[in-house]
Structure formats: structure tokens, C-alpha cells
Amino acid sequence: MSVTPSESTISSLARKRVEELLGEGKRLDGRELTQCREFEVETDLIGTAEGSAQVKLGKTIVLVGIKAGTGEPFPDTPDQGVLTVNAELVPIASPNFETGPPREGAIELARVVDRSLRESKIVDLEKLCLVPGKAVYVIFVDIYVLNHDGNLIDASVLAALSALMKTKLPKYTAKKDGTVTRKSGHSELKIQNMPISLTTGKIGESLLFDPSLEEEEIMDSRITMTFDSEGNVRAMQKGGHGVFTTEELKTLVSTAGEKTSEIRDRLKELIK
Amino acid sequence: MSKKNEVSFFDGKGLRNDGRRLDELRPIELEVGVLDNASGSALIRQGGNRILVGVFGPREIHPKHLALPNRATLRCRYHMAPFSVEDRKHPAPSRRETEISKVIREALEPVVFTEYYPRTTIDVYIEVLEANGGTRCSGITAASLALADAGVPMRDLVVACASGKVGGKIVLDLNDFEDKYGEADMPVAILPHLDRVLLLQMDGNLTPKEFHEALDLAIEGSKRIYEMQKKALRDSYPIPDEPQEEEVVEVEK
């Protein structure tokens, strides 16, 4: 069951100050409304994973590890590999994260990242089939949030994409009955698309790209839009207890689209 | 996803697989006040969807630490019956249901005057009995009727409808087949009077221009459902006829 979360008194006090600043077109950290925080990417830092990447978006840190192996396909897609996304909001990342099974926040994060990757057809799942109906590649994308300073969705999409770009699949020989044996060597995982998401927060009437944690705590709502390499929308998710006007959404679909192509170019520079 | 050439979405006349035009809704039936024990309730049938919603409250909240000092807590559960889909659904809440419960709660939050009932809860239970695509939208449409039936003060009714893209065309109110094999699905919930978007999700592939078109279509379709919601409420709470002037009967002495 989904329950209204409680709001801290501090955040309702902070809201006044933030709204005053926004009235002058300014943000707490000095950014422009449509300015995202700088990000850094490090790849291949987990030796035991088939692919990994850590993204720092401002002070937000997200680590993604890819584990790839073999398993049975889903019965309704016998000739496709399996791609699974999970997110863990580990307690080291924020005083507000607790131990235990994923709550709705972590589930929503994983599912929005999953849709961004899946709908943009980031990998050709049919190429990950070993024996139709019997054995396919199974790829786990595990999102590990290490420091929460806002906008986990965009940081996670960037980290997941970076990790998949660096993933090396172990090679297998497969028999017709579905038994697989590990061969030596690895092959590159082919990435066909580079989905980039952009989350916009709304505070009062102001729309701000890439909200920080301070802004997230007081914002009314957010909208995440994921764009593919061609600039088309592949996934969207509105969150929060506020509303958007249709004009805001229609404008955002162009401005956010442009911004994601800048982010994509920057990521290409960072990962070669 | 199946290969494009394996499925066809339109017949020779350009009608959809269930005989609808591109901008046509599935047949909708709405009924209010269908559960005795709930504070408010509603039933929606929309094409092959059949969903019951019960609202309880405002009432005392348990556990008490969930109580909010300045407003009512809103709790929402979207749940599918095990028999509501082709392959039995395990009754435990899935990750999909957890996410949908969250986005539905967030769609209802801005509409309810929760500030009138501090320290209480308003519980919204959405039970999908039969599913054939677009159940979160049907659920929201029924949930707002159930809230109204419970007498919970609201800024407006909430109404939801999906649009999307199938076989290269922008269509309204996708059924399960179109959702599964089509190119894009986009559920939208709005405040019909104020033109505000309360819920927006999308998966698939749309150009920015197609997004504009799909958003306008979803809003237009929602407004048609809004008229049906109002009628369902009026039918449930009929305005008594104007009292007739009493005829004076002369009594013979």
C-alpha cells in the first residue's frame, strides 16, 4: 500500500527561502534553472562484475554493477535474453534509507530505469538467445546508490548505460537440449542506443532541471523524460503530489530533449 | 515484443481489432455506491476491465505513527485479483502493483482536501477483478467516484485515460493487445476543469510531435469520461423532484 510520506518541518521552512530565490531566477547552489550538475563517470571498477560504472552527479553517487550469466528465457519470449533491473537504496547513502526489502521509492527507481533501457532497445535481446526456449543470456543491472544528493533516476540511467557499454559477456557453448558450458574468453555486449533521462522538478511555478536533494525535499512534483539517440521519447514518469500543465509538458519535451543530447555528447567524451 | 509484421492492428476499414475508431473509447459503465461496508465505492467496466473501488474514511489511522499533524494521510492500494489475467497472478503485491499504487496515490493527493482531516486516514482500495489493458486509468476514474461517494471533499473529480501509438497511428484508450504489441502506451490522469496533469507515464517510442498529439487526445478522451462520471454521480444521488403543490381536497361536511 502506498502511504503519504511525512514532510519535515525544516523542509517547509526551507521552501520559503527557495521560492524567494526562484522568484529571482536563482537556485540554492547557484545554478540556472535549466542547468544540470556536472557529472563524472568511472568504469570497470568492480573486478567481479561483467561490467560496472560509477556516476557522480554533483554529490550524488550511483554505482551500477552488471552480472551476466545464462538461464531460462521467459515462456512468452522464448527467443530473447533477459534483462533485469534492480535498485538498492543502501543505508550508507542517506540517513533516511533503512535496511530491508525495497520500498516503493526503490521499486519506482528500478522500474523507470528499466523502462528507459528496455523501451530504447539498448541491447538486442534476440541476439542474447543461446538455445530458443531453453537457454539465454541473463543480464542483471544492479543499481547501488552510494550517496543520495538528489535526482537518483538520472544518475542511475547514466550509470546503467555506462556499465552496459563496458560489459563483456562470458562466452558459452550451448547444446540443443539447452545445456551450456563456459568457454574461455569474453565478447562485447553490443549497445544499439544511448537512452538519457532528464528529470525536471517543479516548485511553485518554476521548473528546474536535475533537482538536488534540497530541492527534491520541497518540490511539488517531478517529471522524468527519457530520450533515445534520435531525440524521440522512450519513457516518461511523473512523480510527486503536484500537477503539471499541458503547456509545461509540451515545452519540456523539446527543451529536455535538447538537454539530453548535450548530456549524451558529454558521456561519449567521458567513455571512449 | 513481437515482430512488426506478425500483428496487424487495423482491419480493411481502418478500424481497430475491437472495431473501434482511432479516437474511440471502449464502452464504459460506471456505478456508484456498490459496497455496503465502504464509506464510498464505485464499479467501472471499461471494455474488458472490471474494477471495484472501496474508500474507507476519513477514519482513525493505524499504526498511529503514520498520522500527519496537519492533514489526512492518503493510503492507496492497487491490487489485481489472481483470476483477473490469463496466467494466474500471485496474490502478493508485485513490483508493478507497488509502483502503480504510488502513482495513483500521487494522482489523488492534489485533489483531496486532506487538510480538513488532520491525523486521520483515507484509504483507497482498488481491486482489479478482470483486466484487459489500461487498468490504472480505469482504477483512477473509479477511485475518484468512490471518494466522491464517500463524501470526501475534492477540488474536482480525477479522470484518467491512456493514449498511445499502434501500427503507426495515435490511438485512444488502448486495450491489452494494443498495449502489448503497439509502439507506445501513455496513461494520463487529469483534473478536467483545471486542465492539470496528475499522472503521466509513457513507455515506447514517440517523437516530440507525436507526444503533443497523444497528450491532447488523452485529455480529450478523459473529458468524455468525465461527463460519464458526473452522470453516474447524479444517477446515484438523484435530485428529488420539486415538491408538487398539495391539492386541497374539499371535504364535504
Side-chain angles (χ1 to χ4, degrees):
Chain A
M1 188 150 64
S2 180
V3 183
T4 312
S6 65
E7 190 184 83
S8 74
T9 335
I10 311 245
S11 62
S12 51
L13 291 171
R15 190 179 163 107
K16 259 196 171 167
R17 175 74 190 125
V18 172
E19 279 189 333
E20 274 170 25
L21 276 172
L22 285 172
E24 304 161 27
K26 287 184 199 153
R27 291 167 77 170
L28 280 173
D29 53 11
R31 277 187 287 158
E32 308 270 317
L33 296 190
T34 58
Q35 190 182 350
C36 298
R37 292 169 291 179
E38 292 293 320
F39 69 94
E40 292 167 34
V41 187
E42 268 182 273
T43 55
D44 301 320
L45 9 85
I46 305 290
T48 45
E50 275 67 50
S52 59
Q54 178 170 287
V55 165
K56 287 187 186 166
L57 176 63
K59 287 185 189 153
T60 291
I61 306 175
V62 175
L63 172 65
V64 166
I66 310 286
K67 289 301 292 174
T70 59
E72 275 185 33
F74 288 115
D76 54 342
T77 50
D79 57 347
Q80 290 184 15
V82 175
L83 181 74
T84 305
V85 182
N86 184 55
E88 293 287 335
L89 304 182
V90 279
I92 52 172
S94 160
N96 296 324
F97 293 168
E98 291 177 65
T99 55
R103 313 241 174 120
E104 64 177 25
I107 291 174
E108 185 188 31
L109 170 64
R111 289 178 60 85
V112 173
V113 176
D114 182 289
R115 288 200 284 269
S116 300
L117 303 177
R118 192 177 303 281
E119 298 300 333
S120 61
K121 304 201 166 49
I122 184 165
V123 287
D124 186 349
L125 292 176
E126 284 177 18
K127 294 226 170 91
L128 297 179
C129 179
L130 295 164
V131 185
K134 299 253 168 65
V136 295
Y137 274 106
V138 178
I139 297 177
F140 289 98
V141 178
D142 280 293
I143 300 165
Y144 233 60
V145 176
L146 299 183
N147 195 57
H148 180 22
D149 193 37
N151 199 3
L152 296 179
I153 298 178
D154 294 355
S156 302
V157 171
L158 274 174
L161 169 60
S162 309
L164 286 167
M165 286 168 78
K166 288 288 179 176
T167 295
K168 297 207 165 46
L169 291 176
K171 284 187 176 168
Y172 293 93
T173 41
K175 286 191 204 145
K176 270 188 182 159
D177 65 353
T179 49
V180 289
T181 36
R182 178 80 170 87
K183 262 199 308 193
S184 66
H186 288 84
S187 59
E188 301 266 321
L189 176 67
K190 201 171 170 290
I191 299 298
Q192 344 181 76
N193 208 327
M194 287 182 70
I196 302 282
S197 67
L198 183 72
T199 300
T200 306
K202 186 174 176 185
I203 300 172
E205 299 302 310
S206 304
L207 297 174
L208 18 119
F209 286 179
D210 178 29
S212 66
L213 184 61
E214 278 173 310
E215 291 165 340
E216 262 182 17
E217 279 174 347
I218 54 166
M219 70 189 181
D220 301 306
S221 44
R222 61 168 152 81
I223 178 87
T224 302
M225 297 180 171
T226 304
F227 294 85
D228 63 16
S229 304
E230 282 79 53
N232 293 334
V233 201
R234 295 296 183 123
M236 281 195 249
Q237 179 89 342
K238 182 243 168 198
H241 56 265
V243 297
F244 284 95
T245 66
T246 50
E247 286 68 32
E248 284 168 342
L249 295 168
K250 286 178 178 178
T251 311
L252 271 177
V253 94
S254 342
T255 54
E258 285 165 27
K259 186 60 95 179
T260 56
S261 80
E262 288 171 25
I263 298 172
R264 189 176 297 105
D265 291 343
R266 175 87 181 115
L267 182 67
K268 282 181 192 162
E269 276 173 32
L270 292 171
I271 309 186
K272 279 187 186 137
Chain B
M1 282 261 167
S2 174
K3 290 186 193 80
K4 263 179 201 161
N5 50 9
E6 282 174 15
V7 287
S8 76
F9 295 101
F10 306 107
D11 65 10
K13 290 177 195 157
L15 295 176
R16 291 154 72 178
N17 73 326
D18 51 10
R20 282 183 292 156
R21 294 184 311 274
L22 300 179
D23 63 348
E24 192 174 336
L25 294 165
R26 290 174 284 182
I28 297 177
E29 279 173 48
L30 296 166
E31 212 180 314
V32 177
V34 290
L35 297 171
D36 279 347
N37 288 330
S39 317
S41 59
L43 171 72
I44 182 167
R45 287 162 178 267
Q46 183 166 6
N49 290 339
R50 183 142 78 130
I51 302 170
L52 255 179
V53 181
V55 167
F56 292 79
R59 64 177 175 181
E60 200 174 337
I61 188 165
H62 294 289
K64 291 211 163 166
H65 69 85
L66 292 177
L68 299 173
N70 55 344
R71 50 164 288 177
T73 301
L74 197 62
R75 295 194 290 196
C76 178
R77 187 177 85 147
Y78 164 97
H79 184 241
M80 290 183 106
F83 45 78
S84 63
V85 276
E86 204 59 38
D87 297 322
R88 178 176 185 267
K89 195 221 141 259
H90 193 281
S94 64
R95 291 164 65 89
R96 175 180 168 275
E97 287 167 299
T98 303
E99 186 202 343
I100 292 180
S101 299
K102 178 178 187 282
V103 293
I104 294 180
R105 177 182 58 75
E106 289 174 337
L108 298 175
E109 294 269 9
V111 206
V112 176
F113 285 93
T114 50
E115 58 270 36
Y116 291 179
Y117 306 101
R119 310 200 67 81
T120 67
T121 183
I122 300 167
D123 295 332
V124 180
Y125 298 114
I126 299 170
E127 290 293 337
V128 179
L129 305 178
E130 235 180 304
N132 189 11
T135 51
R136 79 196 67 185
C137 290
S138 304
I140 288 170
T141 299
S144 93
L145 281 182
L147 281 164
D149 183 42
V152 173
M154 290 192 285
R155 290 174 174 85
D156 196 352
L157 288 170
V158 183
V159 55
C161 187
S163 61
K165 186 179 169 190
V166 300
K169 299 215 161 80
I170 301 296
V171 298
L172 184 65
D173 189 18
L174 285 75
N175 59 35
D176 190 45
F177 172 79
E178 294 171 322
D179 179 10
K180 271 206 185 100
Y181 301 106
E183 295 99 289
D185 178 36
M186 186 169 87
V188 178
I190 60 162
L191 276 172
H193 264 306
L194 301 166
D195 257 329
R196 292 292 188 274
V197 177
L198 299 159
L199 174 145
L200 175 66
Q201 295 181 288
M202 196 283 275
D203 58 70
N205 189 0
L206 292 177
T207 65
K209 190 168 163 282
E210 285 168 340
F211 167 70
H212 286 210
E213 202 186 321
L215 184 62
D216 289 337
L217 184 60
I219 288 173
E220 196 259 319
S222 297
K223 287 184 175 170
R224 274 185 257 156
I225 302 176
Y226 179 53
E227 296 305 315
M228 300 179 209
Q229 281 180 312
K230 286 192 289 188
K231 183 175 180 301
L233 278 176
R234 287 203 193 98
D235 290 348
S236 173
Y237 294 97
I239 301 162
D241 292 333
E242 291 283 315
Q244 304 281 315
E245 270 184 44
E246 273 177 52
E247 275 178 52
V248 182
V249 183
E250 295 277 331
V251 181
E252 277 181 44
K253 283 174 191 164

